[in-house]
Amino acid sequence: MAEMNERNGAGPHGQVSLYGDELEPGALVGPWVVEARVHSGVTASLYRATHVDTRTLAAVKVVRAHFNHVSEVLKRFKQEADTLQALHHPHIVRVLEYGELRDGRPWLAMEWLEGESLDRWLAHRGPFSLAEAHTVMEELGSALAQAHGQGILHRDLKAQNVMLLPRAEGFTVKLVDFGIAKVAPAEGSAGLTSAGAVLGTPVAMAPEQILGQAVDARADLYALGVLLYQLLTGKLPFTGESAVEIEEQHLHAPPPRLGERVRVPQGLEALVRRCLAKRPEERWPDVATFLSALRSALTPVDEETWAMGLYLDLRFPESHEDPSDESMDARDEALEWSRALLESSGWTLAMEGGNALLAWRELPSEASARDGEREVGRRLAQQLLGGAIGLAGDALEARLYLHAAPSELSTDSQGGRRLVGGLLSRLEGWATGGTPGVVTERATD
């Protein structure tokens, strides 16, 4: 009798009821026996449970007792169950069944996922590699694409709602918690969201979501960008002491650069920044376009990028006397003439000092074409050296160094190219020694 009273919630002699606000181990939820509480949320709790007949494990979600008569909570709970049943995808958690307890509380049984959420994985393992982050994006992206295709927006995409499941080789992920998903209403019916309602988690909410404005698939793309940044750096792009502070950053602060925390391909930097654009129309229009751009950004380039560098050094001969005004004018004229010749020949000036300048130009990736351009560079160097000596006369010693090598180049927001790494950017590695009046060349490194 005591057991029956306990199961019915009577709890004699101060015993804990199996069916209080939080269910206790042994409670029956349909055909599922509760083993342990996994998580207590605001409106619902999640339990690990076992089927009485098959012994199959499940994650059982049950509305908390004090929300059992809140119509909005009950409607959203049913919507989540209906949404998950409609979405059959290998990277979306699968619904097994749902029903109600005797007191009317709805419950939802989902497949048990033997793994950890991405936020916990990041906390003890650290940032993901590019390849690992790509796997997450591909699998989540395919799940979101199917949901969007059926008029369903997740609206709460974050590391806590993505489960990582280890496999014999690598891992797979599954998207969970469609509790605040937006579902396109059936014809003639109204949706759940009221105008101006703010739903979501501040760490990953798009600006329009924070403002309670209308949202579409691009709000999920914003959250996907937040998650990609988090996977690669181990940090959220925007953090603060309060939800309001975080929301203000999503609304107004420029997104931080990936390159400030981790080295990534230039294309990936631009891809994430576009995800995190404040205005929806400036983001990726859909998941398919985002994934295509991601693959391009991560595709290794087989051919090396080459550039040719030219360094001209005009020195005054060692003397106990200071250079005359005429000598200094001759040096300035020689440098100005040299700079104009280089720029008119398609070279980019990288540095100019009082007595020297450094210029470079990109070379073709194809070897034979590159050899032809290097020969053009040699002829220009000879012309440059002859002209500088002609202008400076005996007042200066002219040294000119020419070098071609694999180089690191970047593209700015206006499409311009910039020398950012490689031997050409380190003068001490190639512009040393040399004989006055001779082009010192290193064709390879």
Side-chain angles (χ1 to χ4, degrees):
M1 180 65 70
E3 181 182 353
M4 182 178 296
N5 287 337
E6 188 179 14
R7 283 188 177 277
N8 289 332
H13 310 298
Q15 296 179 14
V16 176
S17 170
L18 293 182
Y19 298 94
D21 180 41
E22 298 284 6
L23 304 183
E24 297 298 324
L28 269 176
V29 181
W32 303 93
V33 181
V34 171
E35 292 186 348
R37 184 168 67 248
V38 177
H39 174 71
S40 294
V42 175
T43 61
S45 295
L46 189 68
Y47 304 89
R48 187 182 72 241
T50 306
H51 195 279
V52 292
D53 295 324
T54 65
R55 310 306 297 169
T56 301
L57 275 175
V60 177
K61 189 174 184 178
V62 184
V63 168
R64 302 190 68 170
H66 48 290
F67 282 98
N68 194 29
H69 302 293
V70 180
S71 61
E72 186 74 9
V73 171
L74 298 179
K75 287 178 182 178
R76 289 200 176 281
F77 194 90
K78 184 178 186 304
Q79 177 180 278
E80 179 179 15
D82 292 340
T83 298
L84 288 172
Q85 282 200 320
L87 291 173
H88 300 286
H89 192 279
H91 300 297
I92 296 177
V93 65
R94 180 168 52 92
V95 166
L96 303 178
E97 59 179 314
Y98 66 99
E100 293 182 356
L101 296 180
R102 287 186 179 181
D103 62 6
R105 278 186 283 171
W107 57 266
L108 171 64
M110 299 165 284
E111 63 176 321
W112 179 258
L113 302 176
E114 200 64 58
E116 285 188 297
S117 59
L118 283 182
D119 64 317
R120 291 185 180 179
W121 190 264
L122 282 165
H124 66 72
R125 181 187 178 277
F128 282 45
S129 68
L130 285 175
E132 291 168 336
H134 187 200
T135 296
V136 174
M137 289 295 109
E138 288 284 357
E139 294 185 353
L140 277 186
S142 65
L144 282 175
Q146 178 172 315
H148 292 170
Q150 295 181 219
I152 299 168
L153 309 179
H154 191 279
R155 295 199 299 183
D156 200 19
L157 178 62
K158 57 185 178 182
Q160 293 93 321
N161 287 338
V162 180
M163 293 294 292
L164 184 146
L165 315 177
R167 292 290 183 259
E169 294 185 5
F171 63 87
T172 190
V173 297
K174 292 213 176 192
L175 182 58
V176 303
D177 199 346
F178 279 74
I180 65 166
K182 180 182 178 182
V183 181
E187 187 174 350
S189 63
L192 285 176
T193 305
S194 301
V198 178
L199 297 168
T201 307
V203 295
M205 286 173 65
E208 66 272 21
Q209 204 170 347
I210 293 171
L211 295 172
Q213 299 172 350
V215 298
D216 56 25
R218 293 170 296 185
D220 281 347
L221 265 295
Y222 185 94
L224 204 58
V226 170
L227 182 59
L228 180 53
Y229 183 97
Q230 187 179 4
L231 290 176
L232 293 172
T233 67
K235 307 287 184 181
L236 287 163
F238 300 116
T239 57
E241 297 297 323
S242 67
V244 172
E245 186 178 342
I246 296 171
E247 288 174 352
E248 284 297 308
Q249 291 182 66
H250 280 291
L251 288 172
H252 305 297
R257 291 180 57 83
L258 264 178
E260 294 174 355
R261 288 181 170 171
V262 64
R263 185 172 181 177
V264 295
Q266 187 70 23
L268 191 59
E269 178 84 59
L271 177 136
V272 172
R273 290 182 71 83
R274 184 168 175 180
C275 282
L276 299 180
K278 306 301 182 188
R279 295 160 57 88
E281 57 269 27
E282 295 175 357
R283 295 179 210 140
W284 301 102
D286 51 51
V287 175
T289 307
F290 163 79
L291 289 178
S292 177
L294 177 62
R295 293 174 197 128
S296 296
L298 295 178
T299 300
V301 178
D302 294 332
E303 298 171 330
E304 289 182 303
T305 301
W306 278 67
M308 177 171 279
L310 185 151
Y311 182 66
L312 176 64
D313 184 1
L314 301 178
R315 307 179 186 181
F316 291 109
E318 291 187 10
S319 172
H320 297 295
E321 298 179 0
D322 292 333
S324 65
D325 291 342
E326 290 78 8
S327 296
M328 295 181 70
D329 289 343
R331 179 198 60 187
D332 293 343
E333 184 182 359
L335 283 174
E336 176 62 27
W337 177 84
S338 300
R339 182 180 63 79
L341 176 61
L342 286 166
E343 290 181 341
S344 67
S345 302
W347 290 66
T348 300
L349 193 67
M351 183 272 288
E352 184 173 16
N355 68 311
L357 57 81
L358 169 67
W360 66 277
R361 68 173 299 167
E362 189 171 354
L363 295 177
S365 55
E366 201 276 322
S368 60
R370 188 165 63 237
D371 288 342
E373 287 295 319
R374 282 161 51 185
E375 181 56 37
V376 172
R378 292 187 191 104
R379 292 198 295 268
L380 177 68
Q382 293 289 358
Q383 180 185 355
L384 193 68
L385 185 62
I389 292 174
L391 288 169
D394 296 333
L396 295 167
E397 292 181 352
R399 289 178 170 83
L400 192 146
Y401 307 86
L402 186 68
H403 183 41
S407 303
E408 296 176 30
L409 306 177
S410 69
T411 304
D412 61 27
S413 58
Q414 284 74 44
R417 298 283 271 170
R418 188 162 57 92
L419 183 67
V420 295
L423 185 62
L424 293 186
S425 63
R426 302 188 300 274
L427 288 175
E428 69 277 6
W430 59 282
T432 56
T435 303
V438 175
V439 176
T440 300
E441 180 191 358
R442 295 182 182 178
T444 58
D445 177 55

